[in-house]
Structures are given as structure tokens and as C-alpha cells.
Amino acid sequence: MGIPASREEADAFFAQMQALQRRHFGDEVAEAVFGEEMRHSRLVMEAGLVAHDATLSDQERQARLMALRSQLPPALQDAIPEAAASPASSP
């Protein structure tokens, strides 16, 4: 599986990863070891989907990216850019 192109593909990817982790480590250990990283990864993936969503206005896109960015710890916030070019203007 490559980079998910849709929210459904991203959800399927994370569900598959979570199932694998829980199968090998159990629920408690998997959450302790991978839980926070998985939550951060989901936020970054969601930001990528938002950044490329042509149905959003620039203002909507910016607001959603900032909301996602604010959910990350300060040290990880640079993983989500503060501004994204509209998908129509991207090469």
C-alpha cells in the first residue's frame, strides 16, 4: 500500500496497522508503545488530505490545517505547514 489518496484509504491503513500492533502486543502494550505516535500520524495524514482537498476554499483549508496543527505537541507542529497552496495552483 502506498500513500493513501483518500480518507477511506487512510482509515483502512491505520486500522490495519492498529490490528497488527494489537495482535502482536495486546491492547494495553500496543496503546502504550504506539498510541501517541499513531494519533500524531493520523493528524499529519489528515492534514495532507485537507491540503489537497479541492472542495475547500483557501480560508477553510487554512482553518482546518491550523486546527489539526494545534492538536500536535509544539515540537511536532512543523509536520503540518501553517499555510498550504490551493490544490488548483499546485503543480
Side-chain angles (χ1 to χ4, degrees):
M1 175 184 255
I3 297 172
S6 69
R7 190 162 279 106
E8 292 78 20
E9 287 181 15
D11 288 343
F13 169 79
F14 284 111
Q16 186 177 24
M17 290 299 298
Q18 185 177 40
L20 180 68
Q21 292 164 351
R22 291 178 186 276
R23 184 171 50 246
H24 287 283
F25 298 102
D27 291 347
E28 286 184 33
V29 173
E31 175 59 30
V33 173
F34 302 108
E36 188 172 355
E37 183 178 347
M38 289 293 285
R39 285 186 288 281
H40 296 162
S41 295
R42 281 180 180 269
L43 289 169
V44 172
M45 180 65 69
E46 177 68 19
L49 295 169
V50 167
H52 292 94
D53 187 343
T55 67
L56 298 174
S57 70
D58 287 342
Q59 293 81 12
E60 290 170 320
R61 183 176 302 102
Q62 185 67 27
R64 289 187 186 186
L65 289 173
M66 292 305 293
L68 292 167
R69 186 178 162 92
S70 72
Q71 294 177 54
L72 289 171
L76 298 176
Q77 288 182 356
D78 285 343
I80 298 175
E82 289 187 31
S86 67
S89 66
S90 296

